[in-house]
Every structure is written in structure tokens, then in C-alpha cells.
Amino acid sequence: MKAIIPLAGAGTKLRPHTYTQPKALIPIAGKTILSVIVEQLLENGIHEFIFVIGYLGDKIQDYINKKYPELKCHFVTQNDRKGTGHAIWLTKDIVNDDEIFIVYGDTICDYDIKAIINSPHSEIGVRRVDDPRSFGVAEIGDDRTVFRLVEKPLIPKSNMALVGVFKIKESQSLYKTLDYCIEHNIGTIDGEYHLTEALQLMIDDGAVFKSFKVNNWFDCGKKETLLETNAILLKGQKGSLTYNYQFPNTVILPPVSIAEGCKIENSIIGPNATIGEHSTINSSIVSNSIIGSFAVLEEVVLKSSIIGSDAFVRGMSQSLNIGDNTDIDFGK
């Protein structure tokens, strides 16, 4: 089985951070969004990965090669962002006849991965939502069988949203369907080919897809929900995070994640704070925030903030959304 992770999106809802950093590499709970996904699959026996990259794709490739040198991986470039269907279609020459496990690059879910991998059926992950009009939607029978998929319906007949996790047994059938969609320009929405359209054609041809409900679906798409996800994941790690550093006159309020090489003094860190590597924090209070690597904070009170890597912040209490390589001085 091969895992496919589409990562070509620009992450516009997380700007300014995604001007210089792919969304998948934004730090969260001591890891990155991408490393959470990869490690979930690695721990459950998948060791060959196909990464569909585009915007800032060289950073993703460098990150994967450095962090997971033992991984058997392939990188496919999606120069024109024509949707998830197009992204998967680009991988057809690598997949051959193997089964595939697709996880969208901004999708962190809590579910029994091993059970899905070992299922005798193709499987589609779903989660109940209040307003499904912004999602792909699955209409599901009593026996978990999916009988209809619709992308962003104006009048949804179901509130079961697709979370972006798929196990496909009939991979060659999927690629033939994607070939047909692209050749005949079928299912395009805003110039994009969505995977849901191809899967629906497979269902129409008799393919059987079962649905599975994820326990949690963590949203990493914008600042507020990213911070909420960071807090949930930190709490879920419980006592697994260790703080083997001595920080003078500093109080740590778990849960927090503090990377290696940080210099912190005269400060209060936490709860729900992620601090990137080699950051310096002096005379500050940081809670419910994500701080990038090599950042410098002096005499600030930060809550519900995201600070990019190599940023410098000194001054007053604010709620900030600051990108990489930023220099801010709120006053003497």
C-alpha cells in the first residue's frame, strides 16, 4: 500500500505565515501538521509515500528528506493547482496496481488507522458537521455503504462531511475514472477537478465504498482553529512531553511543547503553548500560542497568537498573527 498526501495548496487562510512557509510545515504541538500525518501512517505499517507538492514544494521535500531519511518517498509536482482529483491523477505512474491511502495535507484526524488499512473494502472517512455546504458530502446507507458523494452541495441531503481520508483498493479503476474526468472536463468546480466526482463515477459503475467515522477532526485551516487544535493535541499528549532544561526564574504551566535550544528566563510559559527550536523568551508571558523557531520575545504578554520563525517582538500585550522574518517593536 502507498500513501498519497496532496500538499500543493497555498494555504491562503493562514497568511502571512504561508507566504514563506508551506501550511503543512507550520508547527503544532511540538511537531508539524505534516509530521503528525506521516507518523500516524508510519506507526500503522505504511512506509512508501507519494507527496504531491507545488507551492514552496522544495521546503517540503527538504523537510521530509531530512526528518525521515529512511522513508521510501516520491515527490510529484502539481504546477497547476487544478484540485484534489488532478493531484491524485498525477501519481498514477508511481502507484501502478497498489492499494492507496490518501490523506489531505491539512487533515489531522483521530481514527483506527490499522482497522481501515485492513478493511476488505475501500473506505471513506466522514464526520458530522453543522453546515456541510463547504465540504464534500457523503450520503450513507444503514450498512455504512456510501451511495452518493457531492462536492459542496447547495442543498445538502446529508451532514456527513468528507474529512479528507480515503483507502482505495481499486486504484486502477480510480485512475481510469480520473483519466475520463480530465479528458472530458467532467466535474470541474472553479476550474478544479475534485476527487469526489471521480469516486462517484466509480460508485455508479458498481464500486463499493464503506464509510467510517473519525473520532476527532482537527482543523488547521485558519488561525483560531489552528490554535484550538494545538491546545487539544498538547492535552492529548499528557505527560509525554518532557522539559529537560533549566529556565531561570521561569514558570512552566503544562501542557506546553518547548523545542531544543530555547533560552527562556523571567517568564511564564503556558498553558497550551508551542515554542519552536532556538527561540529566546525574556520577561514575557506566553499562553495559548504558537511561536516559531529562532523567534525572540522580550517583555511581552501574548495569548492566542501565532509568531513566525525569526520574528522579533518586544513591547505590549496584544493578540498577533505575524509571519516569518518580521521585526516588531511596540515602543521603548
Side-chain angles (χ1 to χ4, degrees):
M1 179 177 288
K2 294 182 174 72
I4 302 175
I5 305 180
L7 298 160
T12 55
K13 293 181 181 179
L14 277 173
R15 286 177 176 166
H17 305 282
T18 49
Y19 282 124
T20 56
Q21 187 85 312
K23 178 168 68 172
L25 298 188
I26 288 177
I28 184 169
K31 299 183 179 181
T32 64
I33 297 170
L34 181 56
S35 67
V36 172
I37 297 170
V38 170
E39 289 170 19
Q40 278 184 330
L41 298 175
L42 275 174
E43 291 168 2
N44 287 278
I46 297 181
H47 298 281
E48 186 168 357
F49 288 74
I50 305 171
F51 301 96
V52 183
I53 57 176
Y55 178 74
L56 299 176
D58 56 331
K59 290 192 173 185
I60 291 174
Q61 188 166 349
D62 291 345
Y63 175 83
I64 291 294
N65 288 335
K66 181 179 179 180
K67 188 170 181 63
Y68 305 103
E70 77 288 354
L71 199 66
K72 184 176 182 180
C73 54
H74 314 267
F75 296 93
V76 176
T77 301
Q78 186 183 24
N79 292 316
D80 298 321
R81 294 194 293 274
K82 295 181 179 179
T84 53
H86 180 256
I88 303 305
W89 176 75
L90 292 172
T91 68
K92 61 180 180 178
D93 292 335
I94 300 173
V95 169
N96 297 317
D97 294 325
D98 292 336
E99 295 182 10
I100 54 179
F101 202 100
I102 300 169
V103 183
Y104 291 171
D106 58 356
T107 298
I108 298 178
C109 294
D110 175 19
Y111 60 104
D112 189 343
I113 299 176
K114 191 170 292 293
I116 302 307
I117 291 174
N118 294 329
S119 169
H121 307 286
S122 293
E123 298 272 353
I124 297 176
V126 297
R127 175 78 172 181
R128 189 183 304 275
V129 298
D130 293 332
D131 185 358
R133 289 175 297 176
S134 298
F135 305 94
V137 173
E139 298 177 31
I140 303 167
D142 294 336
D143 60 349
R144 296 195 302 119
T145 299
V146 178
F147 60 87
R148 182 168 170 78
L149 296 168
V150 184
E151 184 67 29
K152 299 178 181 178
L154 293 176
I155 305 176
K157 295 184 179 180
S158 166
N159 59 358
M160 302 304 292
L162 308 184
V163 301
V165 178
F166 310 86
K167 197 278 287 281
I168 311 293
K169 292 182 67 67
E170 307 88 347
S171 60
Q172 284 305 300
S173 176
L174 172 62
Y175 288 114
K176 288 178 182 178
T177 304
L178 287 169
D179 280 337
Y180 182 83
C181 288
I182 292 173
E183 181 180 351
H184 294 86
N185 200 33
I186 293 175
T188 55
I189 300 176
D190 297 329
E192 296 186 353
Y193 298 93
H194 290 271
L195 182 60
T196 48
E197 303 290 345
L199 295 178
Q200 180 59 47
L201 288 178
M202 289 179 65
I203 292 172
D204 293 341
D205 287 339
V208 176
F209 286 87
K210 297 291 185 177
S211 63
F212 67 94
K213 296 180 181 179
V214 300
N215 299 320
N216 290 294
W217 181 16
F218 302 113
D219 187 354
C220 301
K222 54 185 179 180
K223 175 194 171 187
E224 293 77 14
T225 54
L226 181 66
L227 289 171
E228 182 180 351
T229 296
N230 179 63
I232 292 170
L233 293 180
L234 284 172
K235 291 173 183 175
Q237 291 172 351
K238 297 179 181 178
S240 62
L241 294 178
T242 58
Y243 316 106
N244 300 320
Y245 313 104
Q246 295 298 319
F247 301 125
N249 301 316
T250 293
V251 177
I252 304 295
L253 303 175
V256 305
S257 171
I258 302 174
E260 295 183 355
C262 290
K263 297 179 181 179
I264 304 174
E265 59 183 357
N266 305 316
S267 297
I268 301 174
I269 306 298
N272 305 324
T274 291
I275 313 296
E277 61 184 8
H278 300 289
S279 288
T280 300
I281 302 176
N282 185 28
S283 301
S284 298
I285 300 174
V286 180
S287 64
N288 193 39
S289 296
I290 298 173
I291 311 300
S293 300
F294 297 94
V296 177
L297 309 181
E298 294 182 358
E299 300 178 349
V300 294
V301 178
L302 294 178
K303 58 182 179 179
S304 303
S305 300
I306 303 176
I307 306 298
S309 298
D310 297 303
F312 172 79
V313 183
R314 180 176 67 189
M316 56 201 295
S317 173
Q318 294 286 339
S319 175
L320 303 174
N321 192 16
I322 298 173
D324 294 356
N325 303 301
T326 304
D327 189 337
I328 292 181
D329 186 346
F330 280 121
K332 304 297 184 183

